[in-house]
């Protein structure tokens, strides 16, 4: 019975990581598009979406990971998996923060250089494969 609950807890990490990764990817994509095109509406969308990333980062896996660590005392592989999920969680939140930095930089530079195009951003923007797009 306890092992079943433990395995169910581990299974909850998958959809969370996919969702959090999708939010981070969406934020970076919007920030790059905002920077390239000078779209201040997209800049605001990135700033508003960051709140959801922060809420998701704080609530979902961290609490579940602590519960699993404290109550189930996982061994080796499971312990490494739980710790990796919490690390990935923090890294994805940081990706969202970087997207906000890009959007804020474009918002600030728009007032100074409204027509200037971004030189390096298109080169740095990730090339997303159709299979990795989260609706």
């Amino acid at each position: 019975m306890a092992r079943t609950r433990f395995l169910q807890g581990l299974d909850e990490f998958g959809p969370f990581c996919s969702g959090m990764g999708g939010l981070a990817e969406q934020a970076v994509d919007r920030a790059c598009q905002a920077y390239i095109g000078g779209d201040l509406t997209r800049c605001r969308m990135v700033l508003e979406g960051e709140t959801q990333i922060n809420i998701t980062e704080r609530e979902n896996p961290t609490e579940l990971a602590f519960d699993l660590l404290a109550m189930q005392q996982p061994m080796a592989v499971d312990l490494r998996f739980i710790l990796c999920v919490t690390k990935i969680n923090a890294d994805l939140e940081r990706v969202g923060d970087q997207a906000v930095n890009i959007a804020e930089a474009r918002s600030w530079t728009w007032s100074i250089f409204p027509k200037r195009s971004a030189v390096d951003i298109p080169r740095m923007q990730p090339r997303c494969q159709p299979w990795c797009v989260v609706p």
Side-chain angles (χ1 to χ4, degrees):
M1 179 74 155
R3 188 72 181 159
T4 303
R5 255 186 265 153
F6 177 69
L7 294 175
Q8 288 172 345
L10 290 179
D11 288 343
E12 289 179 34
F13 286 127
F16 165 77
C17 285
S18 295
M20 184 74 165
L23 289 172
E25 179 183 17
Q26 183 181 49
V28 169
D29 187 50
R30 285 179 176 168
C32 289
Q33 289 175 7
Y35 200 92
I36 293 165
D39 187 352
L40 297 178
T41 303
R42 286 198 188 266
C43 289
R44 281 190 290 279
M45 291 170 67
V46 172
L47 298 175
E48 292 166 3
E50 203 244 345
T51 304
Q52 181 61 40
I53 291 174
N54 288 340
I55 290 170
T56 305
E57 186 261 339
R58 276 191 296 265
E59 289 179 359
N60 291 343
T62 307
E63 199 170 301
L64 177 60
F66 288 150
D67 286 346
L68 290 175
L69 291 172
M71 304 301 273
Q72 302 295 327
Q73 300 174 352
M75 301 300 283
V77 173
D78 295 330
L79 178 61
R80 285 191 292 270
F81 175 73
I82 293 169
L83 294 176
C84 284
V85 167
T86 58
K87 174 85 170 98
I88 290 168
N89 183 38
D91 290 344
L92 288 173
E93 194 275 331
R94 185 69 184 130
V95 167
D97 290 343
Q98 293 299 322
V100 167
N101 292 344
I102 293 170
E104 287 175 342
R106 186 54 179 155
S107 295
W108 180 78
T109 59
W110 181 255
S111 61
I112 300 169
F113 307 108
K115 301 292 183 199
R116 188 169 183 156
S117 64
V119 177
D120 292 334
I121 295 293
R123 220 170 16 131
M124 295 186 308
Q125 185 177 10
R127 304 282 188 251
C128 188
Q129 301 297 323
W131 50 264
C132 71
V133 175
V134 177

